[in-house]
Amino acid sequence: MPAATMAVMPVIEARELTKVFRRPDKSEGLRGSLRHLVTRRYTTTSAVDHVSLSIEPGEAVAYVGPNGAGKSTTVKLLSGILVPTSGEVVVGGIVPHRDRIANARQVGVLFGQRTQLWWDLPVRESLALLRDMYGIGPADYRAQLARFDEVLELGELLPVTARKLSLGQRMRADLAAALLHRPGIVYLDEPTIGLDIAVKDRVRDFLRRLVADGTTLILTTHDLGDIEDVCRRIAIIDGGRIIYDGGLDGVKDTFARERCMHVRLTTDVDPQSVAALLPDAEVTPGGSPGEFTIRFDRFVLTAGQVIATASSLAEIDDLLIDEPAIEDVVRKVYSGELELEPAEDGVGAGVGA
Amino acid sequence: MAARAYLCMVKVSARTVLTYRANFVLGLFAVFFQLLAMLYVWRLLLESGKDFGGYTWPQMKAYLLVAFVTSSLVSAYGDFRMAARIRDGLVSLDLVKPVTYQTARFAETVGRAALELAVTFAVAGSIALVTGGIPVPDLPQLLLFAVSIAAVVPLKFLVVYLSTLLCFWTQNYMGVAWARTSLVALLSGSLIPLVLLPSWLQTTAMLLPFASLTATPAAIYLGQATGGEALGLLLTQAGWVTVLWVAGRLVWRFAVRQLTVHGG
């Protein structure tokens, strides 16, 4: 069955992909600059360090990491902008940096911080230029504009010169520009950066539809809302290396070990007595008597143990367990305090061996 | 399909020039005043009665006007824009478009050049009329001249393009642009006719593509090169366009490997 073969054939395949940048190492001042002319010193940094990724058609992958972790560099390697120092990359059967133009036809790229619209032209003209570049027929072009108008309210932006657009408007127009040729593979590098909530929601809604239509998506973002809304798989990169690659739920299971339970008992119980029974948990009194918040490591205590302990003191009136947020995990990665020891039952943890 | 895209880019860049017409006109002004100064200097020199390569005053006027047209061509802002995009890494956005970078930049140049030609010919024509006319060659010679002017567009584009690609290594364009401008002005004959240069410099200019930029159209306009000689000059222009086009593609391939767009 063709569907079965499709499922095992990755559309994006990166193996041990590495990009080393060489920067001139100049010491301070004129003297440093002069010295650099004579003895050249360079610092090399591996922006992307032996990254392997395998993405199947129709997958939506969140690509997450702190500033300078190598996210954009990876996207640039995948789109053929940069030539890798070592390693291999194949996208839709094409080596991007070797066959840049063929790759450009199958891929849509958006760099949220930069516009690909022609700065001095009305949006309509930029799109018409792209239409001609990609050889899009008039009927298809009209259909695409109608689609973008429906989701992104593009119509009102068409007559506006690109440099006069607000950030949110620009992003909507840029999304249309990146997706006009119906690319099967889309890289979005921070598509919601600097947008207000209303526009953000609209963009996310649009991305969800895109994924539902079967587009393969790599989404680079700092906005964790984007991830939970759109992606089911997450790859976390730090210092150029992929430190996790797997399901969004898996990352929570693996790294979000802390659970938080809010308990209300029918009678007033001293918080100290609860804490005494649960020495491994952190117990804080709630707003009213008999209310507690209990934080515990789910690999030390189970929720059942916590509930059993609480109900041994008094009857439980109400119980609420906070959903572990992907945000907590990613925040830990960003602040560099993520414990890189996945639990035994962790799903697909791609910790660098 | 791709041809339509390049055609569209030609139109778009012409429109961009019109959007920034003040900038465009001011840029021409600079060359225009330089032209006026040259005209005055040469009138004084020729009135002194000395011989300068056998040029009469009307011929020298014609020479300077041709030089004005050729040095105004492919000069408006395109190279600075390209250099800035390379330096700021914005060139990466050009790389995700399904067009050949060099051809795309050439298409933009052609769009601008169409307007540059229209305006500079109008200016040159008016000056010729106001200052008492210049010799006009017969029709076949005029056609050869038109071809030689048309060839200046790709040729000058390639000289500019190749020097702008140096930005991938230098990260700074000002120095490159100045060096190129001086070199082209001297060796193309747009500053002074090549016959007035020392012979070794003349030979150098003739061996390089620069003479094809101004000396060739001027020689054809003034009838210094006719028939087979004129055709030979046109073929030389075509040869240089071919060689430099291929060189551009090769240099680009190396240049793009220099690309280090920083970012997280």
Side-chain angles (χ1 to χ4, degrees):
Chain A
M1 244 173 84
T5 28
M6 285 268 292
V8 285
M9 276 288 287
V11 69
I12 300 172
E13 178 99 78
R15 267 188 301 268
E16 302 285 307
L17 199 57
T18 300
K19 180 68 186 178
V20 177
F21 286 130
R22 196 178 69 152
R23 269 164 219 170
D25 201 3
K26 291 184 191 171
S27 24
E28 227 172 297
L30 178 62
R31 176 187 264 196
S33 297
L34 287 174
R35 186 178 299 157
H36 181 73
L37 287 176
V38 189
T39 51
R40 294 192 168 244
R41 280 206 199 96
Y42 295 95
T43 330
T44 53
T45 39
S46 301
V48 170
D49 194 0
H50 297 89
V51 161
S52 296
L53 272 175
S54 178
I55 297 169
E56 284 171 21
E59 263 194 299
V61 181
Y63 199 48
V64 179
N67 283 327
K71 302 188 298 289
S72 294
T73 306
T74 312
V75 170
K76 281 167 187 155
L77 288 166
L78 293 180
S79 34
I81 295 168
L82 294 175
V83 182
T85 310
S86 67
E88 280 170 51
V89 55
V90 180
V91 176
I94 290 168
V95 177
H97 54 274
R98 221 166 280 157
D99 205 347
R100 198 174 54 74
I101 291 177
N103 187 57
R105 292 195 171 277
Q106 60 170 358
V107 165
V109 190
L110 174 113
F111 294 105
Q113 318 227 37
R114 288 171 167 176
T115 182
Q116 56 178 320
L117 302 167
W118 278 259
W119 207 230
D120 310 310
L121 297 179
V123 174
R124 188 194 301 279
E125 304 277 331
S126 278
L127 294 177
L129 197 47
L130 289 168
R131 174 198 63 200
D132 288 350
M133 275 189 187
Y134 290 101
I136 301 168
D140 192 19
Y141 181 64
R142 269 196 305 276
Q144 281 290 73
L145 287 194
R147 177 169 156 241
F148 293 135
D149 187 40
E150 186 197 327
V151 211
L152 298 168
E153 290 183 20
L154 187 70
E156 61 186 39
L157 307 179
L158 288 177
V160 187
T161 307
R163 75 183 121 84
K164 290 181 183 152
L165 294 172
S166 74
L167 184 59
Q169 292 173 327
R170 204 216 77 204
M171 201 67 85
R172 278 149 62 199
D174 251 314
L175 270 171
L179 302 172
L180 189 69
H181 58 293
R182 299 184 192 271
I185 302 159
V186 174
Y187 312 132
L188 303 176
D189 191 0
E190 302 192 30
T192 58
I193 193 165
L195 301 187
D196 68 43
I197 293 169
V199 182
K200 221 176 239 186
D201 279 347
R202 198 181 291 165
V203 169
R204 283 177 192 165
D205 181 43
F206 182 70
L207 297 184
R208 269 197 304 272
R209 290 192 195 198
L210 207 62
V211 175
D213 291 345
T215 307
T216 309
L217 175 73
I218 295 186
L219 178 66
T220 290
T221 183
H222 284 300
D223 194 310
L224 305 156
D226 291 350
I227 303 170
E228 299 213 284
D229 267 18
V230 180
C231 304
R232 262 178 301 252
R233 176 175 163 192
I234 183 170
I236 306 178
I237 184 169
D238 193 18
R241 285 171 164 271
I242 298 225
I243 57 171
Y244 177 87
D245 180 6
L248 206 52
D249 297 328
V251 81
K252 291 177 194 168
D253 287 345
T254 314
F255 298 120
R257 300 167 55 145
E258 192 183 81
R259 290 286 184 274
C260 186
M261 193 184 287
H262 306 278
V263 185
R264 190 166 70 214
L265 302 176
T266 44
T267 53
D268 187 4
V269 174
D270 181 18
Q272 295 298 328
S273 55
V274 182
L277 288 170
L278 292 167
D280 294 324
E282 182 195 331
V283 181
T284 43
S288 54
E291 272 186 29
F292 308 98
T293 298
I294 305 165
R295 289 173 193 281
F296 59 96
D297 185 330
R298 72 180 189 91
F299 293 119
V300 177
L301 286 171
T302 65
Q305 285 173 318
V306 176
I307 294 169
T309 311
S311 57
S312 73
L313 294 167
E315 195 186 337
I316 294 176
D317 181 39
D318 197 7
L319 183 76
L320 182 77
I321 302 178
D322 284 348
E323 181 77 7
I326 191 76
E327 201 169 331
D328 297 331
V329 179
V330 175
R331 194 179 294 129
K332 279 185 184 162
V333 177
Y334 280 27
S335 57
E337 58 184 60
L338 184 69
E339 295 164 52
L340 281 182
E341 37 187 88
E344 288 97 74
D345 62 350
V347 182
V351 178
Chain B
M1 190 162 67
R4 216 176 69 184
Y6 296 122
L7 199 67
C8 193
M9 295 182 91
V10 170
K11 280 188 255 172
V12 158
S13 90
R15 281 194 49 180
T16 311
V17 174
L18 292 176
T19 315
Y20 292 107
R21 47 191 175 272
N23 191 36
F24 175 66
V25 170
L26 282 172
L28 277 180
F29 257 120
V31 196
F32 175 72
F33 282 113
Q34 205 181 320
L35 169 67
L36 285 187
M38 293 294 273
L39 282 167
Y40 277 108
V41 167
W42 276 108
R43 195 170 68 177
L44 283 173
L45 286 172
L46 289 170
E47 276 172 356
S48 75
K50 277 196 185 156
D51 178 61
F52 290 96
Y55 279 94
T56 64
W57 169 232
Q59 281 175 329
M60 185 51 84
K61 259 195 301 188
Y63 187 96
L64 291 173
L65 290 174
V66 171
F68 164 69
V69 171
T70 59
S71 51
S72 303
L73 271 180
V74 195
S75 60
Y77 141 98
D79 53 336
F80 274 90
R81 185 166 168 276
M82 178 177 149
R85 286 179 78 82
I86 292 171
R87 203 188 45 224
D88 303 338
L90 280 167
V91 69
S92 54
L93 295 170
D94 301 326
L95 289 173
V96 293
K97 302 275 165 29
V99 286
T100 309
Y101 187 80
Q102 184 167 322
T103 316
R105 299 292 83 73
F106 179 58
E108 289 171 357
T109 301
V110 170
R112 280 191 296 270
L115 289 169
E116 285 169 339
L117 273 178
V119 175
T120 51
F121 265 101
V123 171
S126 328
I127 291 180
L129 283 177
V130 170
T131 56
I134 51 168
V136 179
D138 58 10
L139 192 63
Q141 193 71 9
L142 215 49
L143 284 174
L144 290 175
F145 170 68
V147 173
S148 74
I149 285 287
V152 169
V153 177
L155 191 54
K156 192 158 176 198
F157 160 75
L158 288 164
V159 170
V160 171
Y161 176 79
L162 275 162
S163 59
T164 311
L165 283 185
L166 289 178
C167 280
F168 278 103
W169 288 275
T170 64
Q171 296 292 314
N172 183 333
Y173 184 58
M174 268 325 228
V176 175
W178 282 341
R180 187 201 62 229
T181 308
S182 328
L183 203 66
V184 167
L186 184 66
L187 295 182
S188 69
S190 75
L191 196 62
I192 46 170
L194 290 179
V195 276
L196 302 178
L197 293 177
S199 63
W200 63 271
L201 211 51
Q202 261 185 65
T203 319
T204 314
M206 297 306 238
L207 289 174
L208 292 171
F210 302 112
S212 289
L213 288 173
T214 298
T216 293
I220 293 175
Y221 186 87
L222 289 170
Q224 293 161 343
T226 53
E229 197 188 344
L231 281 174
L233 287 178
L234 293 182
L235 280 175
T236 310
Q237 281 185 317
W240 277 119
V241 169
T242 314
V243 167
L244 294 182
W245 187 272
V246 174
R249 295 300 297 269
L250 285 175
V251 173
W252 166 257
R253 207 178 289 172
F254 285 102
V256 87
R257 287 189 159 259
Q258 293 292 316
L259 193 64
T260 49
V261 221
H262 307 302

